[in-house]
Amino acid sequence: ENYKGGIRDDYYYTGFDVHDGVVRFAFTLFNTTYEMKENGYPSAFMWDLYEDAEDALKSAESVSGMNNGIQTMSQYNIMALGAYLESSAYQNMIAGLCLAVVVILIFTNNWWLTALCALALYSIISLVFCEMVFFGWEVDILVAIDISIASGMSVDYVLHLAHAYNGETGDHADKVRKALKDMGVSVASGMLTTFFACIALFLCDMLWFRLFGCFIAMVIITAFAVSMFGT
């Protein structure tokens, strides 16, 4: 009953609260005709709207002398979730790549081979990102989940060939030929069976499964090409 302000359809759109002659808070609500969603997710414009609203809130606080104000809307929840998943995906990917390099170094005890594997892994991830840009993908919640497992999917073929190479004898060319002879068929078979499994995901109606299948296919094909031919 202390609320003062305009009323429309039984909802307060702007007003303030007075208690013992002191304004305890003021509020205002507004609607926007901007397109808030794009492909089911908050559009990039929503972050501009958020920043503008924060600036407006600070200006209102400086003019009114009030503080501890907040501005919010329902879209902010999924915006915050998307931003968190995106940053977490990159952190997980970097941590996975670093861990893979450490493990390769420990088990091969070969600095030169470890450096070559690290270069191959970073090349795979970079090429996959290039493919995502080429196909018009944008980093949203679904893609962020895929990115978080990219390093784990990338290391498989590189690690198998590196382990086979490290256990062979002879000069560099001989070790490469022997490693490809011993492990090449297994790596190729692993790539093909994984790709065939992705075909089932391509046929799914749910968008996330289709994207997941496409992402796995991009990673394994790129990893196979880099590990077998690039290194």
Side-chain angles (χ1 to χ4, degrees):
E1 60 190 31
N2 291 324
Y3 290 121
K4 309 295 182 182
I7 303 177
R8 179 180 175 185
D9 297 331
D10 296 328
Y11 288 97
Y12 291 96
Y13 273 62
T14 184
F16 55 89
D17 177 67
V18 179
H19 184 74
D20 295 334
V22 178
V23 178
R24 295 196 301 179
F25 65 85
F27 66 91
T28 181
L29 287 77
F30 63 90
N31 294 322
T32 177
T33 58
Y34 293 121
E35 187 66 37
M36 293 190 297
K37 290 187 177 182
E38 184 177 353
N39 296 325
Y41 296 96
S43 63
F45 175 79
M46 290 302 298
W47 284 108
D48 296 332
L49 180 62
Y50 170 80
E51 296 295 339
D52 291 341
E54 284 290 304
D55 293 338
L57 178 62
K58 293 178 182 178
S59 298
E61 288 179 339
S62 64
V63 172
S64 65
M66 303 179 72
N67 52 31
N68 298 325
I70 60 171
Q71 59 92 14
T72 185
M73 63 182 300
S74 59
Q75 294 294 327
Y76 288 170
N77 295 327
I78 194 169
M79 288 167 60
L81 176 62
Y84 173 77
L85 289 177
E86 181 179 350
S87 61
S88 298
Y90 291 125
Q91 292 173 5
N92 292 338
M93 181 191 65
I94 294 173
L97 289 175
C98 293
L99 180 61
V101 171
V102 172
V103 171
I104 292 173
L105 177 60
I106 292 175
F107 284 95
T108 62
N109 195 27
N110 188 325
W111 285 95
W112 177 84
L113 184 60
T114 301
L116 189 61
C117 291
L119 178 61
L121 291 175
Y122 293 128
S123 299
I124 293 169
I125 295 298
S126 299
L127 289 173
V128 170
F129 283 164
C130 291
E131 293 165 13
M132 292 169 58
V133 173
F134 178 79
F135 290 119
W137 287 26
E138 295 182 0
V139 179
D140 52 30
I141 294 177
L142 299 183
V143 177
I145 297 173
D146 294 337
I147 291 175
S148 63
I149 66 170
S151 57
M153 296 292 298
S154 302
V155 73
D156 191 19
Y157 306 145
V158 175
L159 183 58
H160 278 80
L161 290 173
H163 182 265
Y165 175 90
N166 198 53
E168 302 294 349
T169 58
D171 59 18
H172 173 67
D174 290 336
K175 295 174 72 172
V176 169
R177 282 193 294 267
K178 292 177 181 178
L180 291 176
K181 180 181 178 181
D182 294 340
M183 193 59 63
V185 174
S186 299
V187 170
S189 298
M191 187 274 294
L192 289 175
T193 53
T194 305
F195 180 77
F196 290 147
C198 292
I199 295 177
L201 295 175
F202 298 159
L203 303 177
C204 291
D205 292 331
M206 186 174 292
L207 176 61
W208 187 82
F209 288 118
R210 292 205 307 270
L211 288 177
F212 189 58
C214 292
F215 186 81
I216 292 178
M218 286 192 297
V219 172
I220 62 171
I221 293 174
T222 304
F224 177 80
V226 172
S227 60
M228 293 289 286
F229 307 108
T231 55

